[in-house]
Amino acid sequence: AVVSTQSREAVVSTQSTGDLAEEWLRDFNLENVISVSSLSEAEGIVSAWIREFQETRQELNRDVNAEEYVFGGGVERIGEEREGSVEDGIESISRGSVLEAIRVFETLVHRDTSNGEAWFYLGVCHQQRENEKQAIAAFTNVIPEDECYASAQLSLAASLQNEYQSLSAIRCLENWLRLCHPNSVSGRSITTTEELKSILLSLSSSSPDVELCTALGITHCLSQEYGTAAQYFRTALESCPQDFMLWNRLGASLANSDRSSESVGAYRRALTLSPGYVRARYNLAIACLNLNSYRESIEHFLICLQQQPQSEAVWQGLRMALTLSKSYNELINVDQRNLDALLANFGVS
C-alpha cells in the first residue's frame, strides 16, 4: 500500500469511521490478524482504536501547568495566629513536622501567590507525603524569575517521572538545562531520553555536580535504567549526604533494580534525616514486604497511616502485609479503617 504523506492524526480528524475501517482493513490486512465478520464490526474496532488514540494523545499533550493547587483547611486561622516565614517552614521540615510546614507555606502563598520560594518548599513537602499531584501544582507556580526556578524544574521532573509523565519530565529537564547549562542546548528541542542523556553525560565529564548527577539519575529512571540511576544518586550523595530526598531516590532506584536488601539502608538513612518523610517510610514498608519481613513492614505501614490515614495505597499495602503474615483476624480492622485498634494490637505508638 502507498502510505499517504498526511499524518494519521490528520486522517483521524477528517475521515469517517466507515472510511477508516475500510482503509485500515485494506492497508494493514487486518482480516488476517483479527476476526471480523462484517464492515460494521470492523467499524466498532476502529472506533475503539480511535478513541484510545485520542485519549493517549490528550494525555501526552497535557500541559502540566493545568494542575491547580488545592489548599487545605485552616490557612486563614494559622495566618491569624502567627506571621510565619519560609525559614519557619524549613525548620518544621527539619524536625519532621511536614504537616506543620505545609500549613506555614500554604499561609505564605495564600497571602502572596508570587512567593516562589514558598511554592517550591510546598512542593517538596507534598513530595515527602507521596502527593505528587499537589507537588506538581506547587512546583508549576514557581516562575523563571524566581531564584529557585532551576531547583523547582528538577524537582518537578522527579514528580512527573513518578507519575509516568515522561514527555513533561523531559521538558522540565530541558528547562533546567537551558537555565543552568545554556550552551549545551543552543536552541535545539529535546524530545527523547537518549538526547537528554547524551547532553548530560557530556556535561558530567567536566563538572559532575550534585544537580547534574541528580538530573542524570532522573533521566535514567525515565528510561528504566535503575541501576545506572542509583550510581548517579550515590555520586550526588557524596557531595550532599544530608539530602534525605536523594537517599530516598537512591533507595527507590535500588529497589527497582531488584536490590531490595540494599534499598533498606538508603530508606532508613532518609528517615533518620527526616522522620516525617512518608514516601521513604512507605517505600521501606514495601522493601520489607519484598524481603518477607512482614512484622516490620506492618509497623511502617501503620506509622504511615498515622500521618496519612486516608491513603488508600497504604491501606492496601497493610492488607497485603497482614495477609502474608497470616494475621487474618486483623483484616476486619483494615476493612473498618480502625487504625486505633491496629496500632494497639501491634504496639505502635
Side-chain angles (χ1 to χ4, degrees):
V2 177
V3 179
S4 169
T5 55
Q6 186 181 23
S7 71
R8 178 61 63 186
E9 181 176 338
V11 170
V12 167
S13 63
T14 58
Q15 285 186 271
S16 70
T17 301
D19 292 338
L20 275 174
E22 290 186 281
E23 180 191 329
W24 289 12
L25 281 168
R26 181 180 65 253
D27 286 358
F28 299 108
N29 197 23
L30 289 179
E31 64 269 21
N32 293 331
V33 180
I34 56 177
S35 176
V36 291
S37 58
S38 66
L39 180 59
S40 61
E41 187 175 346
E43 287 179 15
I45 294 171
V46 171
S47 293
W49 283 351
I50 292 171
R51 187 165 54 252
E52 182 178 353
F53 170 83
Q54 291 173 335
E55 289 172 353
T56 301
R57 184 182 65 187
Q58 289 170 1
E59 175 61 25
L60 289 175
N61 292 335
R62 187 168 69 85
D63 183 358
V64 298
N65 291 314
E67 298 282 354
E68 291 186 4
Y69 187 84
V70 180
F71 285 89
V75 171
E76 295 85 354
R77 178 179 57 79
I78 288 188
E80 292 170 0
E81 288 178 1
R82 65 189 181 96
E83 198 63 26
S85 65
V86 169
E87 289 71 25
D88 292 330
I90 294 172
E91 174 61 26
S92 294
I93 294 175
S94 68
R95 294 198 312 270
S97 302
V98 182
L99 275 177
E100 180 183 332
I102 287 175
R103 288 194 288 266
V104 170
F105 294 129
E106 282 192 346
T107 300
L108 289 170
V109 298
H110 189 263
R111 290 200 192 112
D112 179 9
T113 57
S114 66
N115 190 333
E117 190 178 16
W119 278 119
F120 170 69
Y121 282 108
L122 189 53
V124 169
C125 288
H126 284 297
Q127 279 185 328
Q128 290 192 50
R129 286 179 58 76
E130 198 94 22
N131 192 339
E132 297 293 8
K133 291 188 184 302
Q134 286 282 76
I136 290 169
F139 288 135
T140 53
N141 275 285
V142 182
I143 61 175
E145 290 73 23
D146 293 321
E147 288 186 12
C148 57
Y149 180 71
S151 297
Q153 287 296 294
L154 206 53
S155 296
L156 178 54
S159 285
L160 290 166
Q161 182 257 319
N162 287 333
E163 289 291 287
Y164 306 103
Q165 296 183 36
S166 298
L167 293 180
S168 295
I170 290 171
R171 271 203 306 274
C172 290
L173 289 167
E174 180 184 351
N175 291 340
W176 177 80
L177 274 172
R178 290 188 188 283
L179 188 64
C180 298
H181 303 276
N183 294 332
S184 67
V185 185
S186 63
R188 64 191 286 191
S189 179
I190 303 171
T191 58
T192 68
T193 54
E194 292 307 311
E195 292 177 87
L196 196 54
K197 278 188 281 188
S198 176
I199 295 171
L200 291 169
L201 286 169
S202 66
L203 291 169
S204 68
S205 62
S206 57
S207 57
D209 60 28
V210 172
E211 287 201 332
L212 191 55
C213 288
T214 301
L216 275 161
I218 294 169
T219 302
H220 281 85
C221 284
L222 286 169
S223 57
Q224 298 182 1
E225 298 172 88
Y226 298 112
T228 306
Q231 293 174 19
Y232 284 113
F233 290 137
R234 206 184 289 278
T235 300
L237 281 163
E238 290 175 4
S239 301
C240 199
Q242 301 304 307
D243 190 326
F244 53 86
M245 299 191 78
L246 271 177
W247 280 109
N248 179 67
R249 287 173 186 155
L250 171 60
S253 299
L254 291 169
N256 284 322
S257 305
D258 295 323
R259 294 154 69 184
S260 291
S261 58
E262 293 179 60
S263 74
V264 168
Y267 294 140
R268 284 180 174 155
R269 179 61 177 157
L271 288 166
T272 298
L273 294 167
S274 181
Y277 195 173
V278 176
R279 179 183 293 280
R281 179 81 62 185
Y282 175 80
N283 286 344
L284 178 55
I286 294 295
C288 290
L289 196 61
N290 290 333
L291 294 169
N292 302 329
S293 300
Y294 302 131
R295 174 75 187 209
E296 185 176 352
S297 177
I298 290 167
E299 291 172 356
H300 287 304
F301 280 130
L302 288 173
I303 295 171
C304 286
L305 287 169
Q306 285 180 305
Q307 297 169 281
Q308 287 186 226
Q310 303 303 318
S311 174
E312 191 61 29
V314 180
W315 280 109
Q316 291 306 316
L318 176 60
R319 169 179 284 281
M320 184 178 296
L322 290 168
T323 301
L324 290 172
S325 67
K326 297 183 170 55
S327 301
Y328 305 121
N329 58 321
E330 297 291 347
L331 294 178
I332 189 171
N333 289 322
V334 174
D335 294 335
Q336 296 174 354
R337 298 297 189 259
N338 191 341
L339 181 57
D340 290 339
L342 287 160
L343 292 170
N345 293 345
F346 286 94
V348 177
S349 57

